Amino acid sequence: MILGKVVGQLWASAKHKSLIGAKLLIVAGLDTEGSPLGTYEVAYDTVDAGVGDIVITVKGSSAKMMPETESATIDCAIVGVVDHVEQ
């Protein structure tokens, strides 16, 4: 799992049919202290996250293990919104 911050939303007028109706968000990677890593992913949102939210993402085959994503052509999914981080 990867920690990230939602920095934008993405709209695509032409996309694979498995992405029709999907909410796609741009997520900036964060380190364990909440500092930006300089990396970005487009993620399929499964938890109704929004811009500014700190989120948990999964990549690869883990992103396709939910009913709403199992047939989608994705490599990254948002699976949680973080309420608090304690170190």
Side-chain angles (χ1 to χ4, degrees):
M1 290 188 276
I2 303 165
L3 194 61
K5 182 175 184 175
V6 179
V7 295
Q9 190 164 352
L10 182 113
W11 287 270
S13 58
K15 57 187 166 254
H16 189 270
K17 65 181 178 178
S18 68
L19 296 176
I20 294 173
K23 183 177 173 188
L24 301 174
L25 298 175
I26 302 167
V27 179
L30 299 177
D31 66 16
T32 57
E33 295 184 11
S35 298
L37 295 172
T39 60
Y40 297 88
E41 293 281 347
V42 174
Y44 188 113
D45 181 25
T46 67
V47 295
D48 200 26
V51 174
D53 285 342
I54 304 299
V55 295
I56 301 166
T57 63
V58 292
K59 293 182 68 175
S61 61
S62 296
K64 298 176 69 66
M65 299 191 102
M66 294 160 284
E68 61 266 52
T69 62
E70 66 186 358
S71 63
T73 54
I74 63 167
D75 186 49
C76 185
I78 298 171
V79 296
V81 175
V82 176
D83 295 317
H84 177 74
V85 176
E86 186 175 315
Q87 293 190 12

